[in-house]
Amino acid sequence: MRRRHPYIYVMYPKSSPTIARPKRPPPVLICGKCLSKIDGGKKLKQALKSELKQAAASHGGKRPKLVTIGCLGICPKRAVVTASATTLANGEYVLVEDWKEVEEAVRMLKPE
């Protein structure tokens, strides 16, 4: 006859979910599928990252992380889909066609 384990683990429900507020601004999302399809995708990503860094430095804060994610489902022909917490709250995405548009895109992606 086998002996049963003497301890029974009971998971008590939490009263509410835990909320974390990082010191860094919310991330900027960029579609990895779009980056791989356009010419100069790596150059565009580096330009966006650099512009985010410059914009944060001019305001004296940390730059948001640039996170490459999977497909966002929009799939433009010759552009890369980007989004931030600000644009997603409005139900909008920012389409960037080449590195020359990065400065304007960062202004749209920054929180107000």
Side-chain angles (χ1 to χ4, degrees):
M1 188 173 198
R2 288 176 84 174
R3 294 180 85 192
R4 293 188 179 174
H5 197 278
Y7 299 105
I8 298 173
Y9 295 99
V10 178
M11 297 293 290
Y12 295 103
K14 285 184 167 183
S15 60
S16 64
T18 304
I19 296 174
R21 289 197 174 90
K23 295 177 184 177
R24 182 179 298 275
V28 172
L29 309 177
I30 187 166
C31 178
K33 187 176 177 183
C34 292
L35 279 174
S36 67
K37 286 186 172 186
I38 67 164
D39 293 332
K42 285 186 179 183
K43 186 176 181 179
L44 178 71
K45 183 178 176 182
Q46 287 301 320
L48 186 59
K49 189 174 181 178
S50 175
E51 190 62 35
L52 286 168
K53 187 175 181 179
Q54 288 177 0
S58 68
H59 288 64
K62 291 187 175 185
R63 76 165 174 84
K65 288 281 188 183
L66 184 61
V67 180
T68 304
I69 61 169
C71 185
L72 286 165
I74 297 174
C75 302
K77 293 252 182 203
R78 291 180 263 309
V80 175
V81 180
T82 60
S84 67
T86 304
T87 60
L88 290 174
N90 297 326
E92 299 171 343
Y93 299 90
V94 179
L95 306 179
V96 184
E97 290 187 23
D98 70 17
W99 60 273
K100 297 172 188 171
E101 298 177 347
V102 168
E103 187 176 345
E104 182 64 27
V106 167
R107 267 186 256 149
M108 295 171 156
L109 293 166
K110 283 191 317 189
E112 296 173 358

